[in-house]
């Protein structure tokens, strides 16, 4: 695949702390990220800030995952495409940030989807600009190691089932089902998926 992420993109990206600070600043102005400043998206952003704060305090990484992360020797950059109003991003990025914090060889850089359409369109899910989307790159060459996202596989199945069978429930019911799953799973599946990915990326 043709390279679409360059050093200048990484230099202009945010750390996880900067991303959270941006959300706080925007919410103080009753705003969110992106061009759509609807009341609904601002409310989702407020809820997402609460979700992220909760996960920041409660996530416990599996010992196997911690060992994998500690032993990872290839310096890499995890570029994550997101927006503050995205519920899946709020449920998953805190776990990704926690993982990245384990090893100084891993640099987490966050970019906003709508400000980076060329990058986003290179990493579509089917035909959708679904987020969050993580792209793992070798730090020295920016060679792509692999990707993750936009959701753990079980949640993705819920969403796709609803997409193709929208009469089975309302969109609000689907959202409730998804977020109930996240609450019950407690980041266990995303952690297992990253154990598997790290095995591939280390090879």
């Amino acid at each position: 695949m043709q390279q679409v992420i360059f050093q200048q993109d990484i230099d202009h990206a945010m750390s996880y702390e900067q991303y959270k600070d941006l959300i706080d600043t925007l919410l103080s102005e009753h705003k969110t990220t992106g061009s759509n400043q609807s009341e609904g998206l601002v409310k989702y952003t407020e809820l997402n800030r609460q979700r992220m704060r909760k996960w920041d305090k409660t996530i416990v990484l599996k010992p196997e995952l911690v060992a994998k992360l500690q032993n990872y020797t290839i310096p890499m950059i995890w570029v994550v495409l997101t927006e503050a109003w995205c519920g899946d991003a709020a449920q998953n990025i805190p776990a990704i940030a926690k993982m990245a914090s384990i090893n100084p060889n891993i640099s987490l850089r966050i970019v906003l989807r709508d400000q980076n359409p060329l990058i986003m369109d290179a990493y579509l899910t089917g035909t959708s600009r679904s987020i969050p989307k993580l792209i793992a790159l070798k730090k020295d060459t920016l060679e792509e190691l692999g990707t993750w996202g936009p959701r753990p596989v079980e949640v993705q199945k819920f969403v796709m089932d609803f997409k193709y069978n929208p009469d089975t429930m309302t969109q609000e019911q689907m959202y409730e089902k998804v977020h109930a799953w996240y609450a019950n799973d407690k980041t266990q599946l995303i952690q297992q998926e990253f154990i598997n990915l790290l095995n591939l990326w280390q090879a």
Side-chain angles (χ1 to χ4, degrees):
M1 186 176 103
Q2 184 176 359
Q3 183 178 355
V4 295
I5 302 175
F6 298 93
Q7 189 61 48
Q8 61 264 32
D9 300 308
I10 294 162
D11 292 342
H12 290 132
M14 294 175 281
S15 68
Y16 182 51
E17 294 303 320
Q18 288 171 329
Y19 175 59
K20 291 189 291 182
D21 287 346
L22 173 64
I23 293 172
D24 287 343
T25 299
L26 289 171
L27 283 175
S28 73
E29 302 167 357
H30 202 67
K31 295 179 181 178
T32 186
T33 60
S35 57
N36 185 343
Q37 296 294 316
S38 71
E39 187 71 24
L41 289 188
V42 172
K43 286 184 177 179
Y44 280 135
T45 302
E46 291 173 344
L47 182 57
N48 288 337
R49 178 171 62 174
Q50 295 171 13
R51 288 173 174 143
M52 292 167 72
R53 286 175 173 171
K54 180 196 78 170
W55 285 127
D56 284 342
K57 294 176 181 177
T58 60
I59 289 171
V60 177
L61 297 182
K62 298 170 183 271
E64 181 186 356
L65 176 56
V66 171
K68 289 277 183 192
L69 290 163
Q70 289 175 334
N71 293 328
Y72 199 90
T73 58
I74 302 171
M76 62 178 166
I77 301 167
W78 289 356
V79 177
V80 176
L81 289 149
T82 186
E83 292 287 346
W85 44 259
C86 175
D88 289 292
Q91 298 283 15
N92 290 294
I93 291 178
I96 291 169
K98 184 85 167 182
M99 289 184 244
S101 72
I102 297 296
N103 189 330
N105 280 323
I106 303 171
S107 174
L108 175 61
R109 306 300 294 164
I110 294 177
V111 298
L112 297 178
R113 181 192 74 172
D114 295 350
Q115 291 181 7
N116 295 274
L118 293 179
I119 298 175
M120 184 71 257
D121 287 350
Y123 293 98
L124 299 176
T125 301
T127 58
S128 173
R129 289 179 165 181
S130 298
I131 48 177
K133 191 75 174 186
L134 180 149
I135 304 102
L137 306 171
K138 285 187 179 180
K139 187 174 183 178
D140 56 348
T141 63
L142 301 187
E143 174 190 347
E144 182 184 312
L145 292 166
T147 66
W148 177 89
R151 308 170 182 93
V153 62
E154 286 186 24
V155 189
Q156 183 66 4
K157 185 176 186 303
F158 295 158
V159 173
M160 297 310 292
D161 285 349
F162 175 75
K163 180 178 179 179
Y164 292 113
N165 299 283
D167 297 333
T168 57
M169 65 183 81
T170 66
Q171 189 171 58
E172 193 61 36
Q173 288 171 327
M174 188 272 289
Y175 288 154
E176 289 176 2
K177 181 178 180 180
V178 164
H179 290 296
W181 183 93
Y182 280 122
N184 291 327
D185 178 72
K186 295 181 172 61
T187 76
Q188 294 303 291
L189 184 53
I190 185 176
Q191 291 190 45
Q192 185 58 52
E193 290 179 350
F194 269 77
I195 289 171
N196 298 336
L197 286 170
L198 286 164
N199 287 334
L200 293 173
W201 296 345
Q202 184 79 61

